[in-house]
Amino acid sequence: MTHKAWWKESVVYQIYPRSFNDSNGDGVGDIKGIIEKLDYLKNLGIDVIWLSPVYQSPNDDNGYDISDYQAIMDEFGTMEDWEELLAQMHQRDMKLIMDLVVNHSSDEHKWFQESRKSKDNPYRDYYIWRPGKDGKEPNNWESTFSGSAWQYDETTDEYFLHLFSKKQPDLNWENPKLRQEVYKMMKWWLDKGVDGFRMDVINFISKVPGLPDAPNPEGKKYVGGGQYFIDGPRIHEFFAEMNQEVLSQYDIMTVGEMPGVNVEEAKKYTNPERKELQMVFQFEHMDLDSGANGKWDLKPLDLRDLKESISRWQTGLHGVGWNSLYLNNHDQPRMVSRFGNDKEYRVVSAKMLGTFLHMLQGTPYVYQGEEIGMTNVQFNSIEDYKDIEILNMYKEKVVEGGADPAKVMESIYVKGRDNARTPFQWDSSENAGFTTGEPWLKVNPNFKEVNAEQAVLDEDSIYHYYRQLIQLRKTHPIIVYGEYQLILPEDKQIYAYTRSFEGEKLLVVTNFSEEQVSFELPNDVAFDAKEVLISNYPVSGIDDFRAFTLKPYEARVYKGV
């Protein structure tokens, strides 16, 4: 039985507000700037906007460090502006999901200000405090942003846990009072009319009691402690409680960002019978081009690894839970630079990647600029970068560790988060039409060739191709609900798969290489093509649909039985 739902049939667009559109010339994108561009997004076919944090924040991690969950950051505007944005979106039949960041708050949040005052303060247990051990931190965990995950606080002679920046202390979900505060805040936003939440690193909220040291065979100063806080012991209990007290009361969309989650856990999180969440963001396919030493250790992607990973999620969640589909976001490099070819084949490879993704089962997420083929950037100096993760890593490796700066910069060019955060390229005027002032982060110099104005005018652009992809999804239920089957698992250049639903079939063939490739459908794949739904190169007829010759980065979708 296929359970239909609006959030399965939607296409989501992620806005990173700081970089989207600046309405007042201060160099920072803002809420009024988003309102100005709603018709652009409606024209693209977007149903839902996921808005990265706009809450009050000292901005240590670009808004993911929240000092007041019920106020708007001054740089972004006012609560009245936000209410106007919601009203304007709802008038256009678009929905808004907000970022829920409750694994941690800012150290400037009033809860933490109270918590650090004394060990018997009523807010003390809203955070995770521990005494030192042998004159050092309570354990050997490493922060995601380098260094220790613990910060010493002189006032009470104890350390607090911060899995991210030291200005992002972790909230203590073991405390029922804290959980009730979070649920109350969620209801406040839902009662204002938001249509759901994207939940930041939400599978980190349950920590293993005792917070033990992580295994450290190489004797490093700090090591990742993920096994003690990823999908922790009480996580499903917390979600069941959140669902019962908040989520089940509203017709909303929920997606949990869950680093390190596997298919079996994701089934539990997203199975509607368990009443937890609707879908998860998993990162497995985002780690396939990382070497043994993590994200900055670059290695080429083997397409067979991508097939194995995507297929396991497609088949594992089918009929049980639901996938979210993405190839880039505010934390990941630009997909056309990473998985395509952002030079000679920028347009066709961006279209191919869009086709590959939008024809899978799940809810597709378009990250701002993806629909016009925005690319990674290469700033000459580390001084031009703003991201805390990049700056901390550079300091640790180059300044303190003596690594070759050129080699470290190469990793930043490929994997740095600022690749996704350069201002949106609206037109070919100064600062790409993003701002009349000095942009908070430099604009990618290729904005004269790559911009929305040009893309909207050119009927053969990536933008119009995405409009077709989104429209196809709205007119062919098979794209949303069809069952997935991989073809040619061992091919290093072709990614092909079928979708089947209610007697219909789709055949999706994509060439992930810059070479012309020929192949034949295996005999055990039954498919009778009736029409070409979409292709990123001109296609003449479908006479012989079992033998294919695909041009570089070519993508085709056939519909048949």
Side-chain angles (χ1 to χ4, degrees), residues 288 302-316 318 356 359-361 482-500 505-512 519-527 546:
L288 298 174
D302 184 327
L303 185 63
R304 294 171 299 181
D305 292 340
L306 184 68
K307 292 183 196 182
E308 194 279 326
S309 174
I310 296 286
S311 300
R312 190 154 25 80
W313 283 88
Q314 286 285 299
T315 54
H318 179 73
F356 158 70
M359 294 298 131
L360 292 168
Q361 186 177 65
E483 187 168 359
Y484 165 100
Q485 186 176 1
L486 178 67
I487 305 169
L488 307 168
E490 294 305 315
D491 196 296
K492 292 182 178 180
Q493 294 165 300
I494 299 291
Y495 195 140
Y497 59 89
T498 59
R499 303 285 306 284
S500 310
K505 260 194 170 178
L506 290 185
L507 172 64
V508 182
V509 289
T510 57
N511 179 4
F512 269 71
F519 75 100
E520 286 189 27
L521 278 189
N523 291 331
D524 60 351
V525 177
F527 185 71
R546 297 202 70 83

Side-chain angles (χ1 to χ4, degrees), residues 168-186:
Q168 291 169 294
D170 278 53
L171 290 161
N172 177 20
W173 276 71
E174 298 291 323
N175 181 347
K177 273 193 184 158
L178 177 275
R179 299 202 301 275
Q180 288 305 318
E181 293 264 22
V182 170
Y183 303 154
K184 191 169 124 193
M185 175 268 290
M186 292 170 73

Side-chain angles (χ1 to χ4, degrees), residues 377 379 422-425 431-432 434-435 439 441-447:
V377 72
F379 295 136
T422 57
F424 191 98
Q425 292 158 217
N431 297 323
F434 163 72
T435 182
L441 179 65
K442 281 187 173 178
V443 174
N444 191 321
N446 67 6
F447 68 90

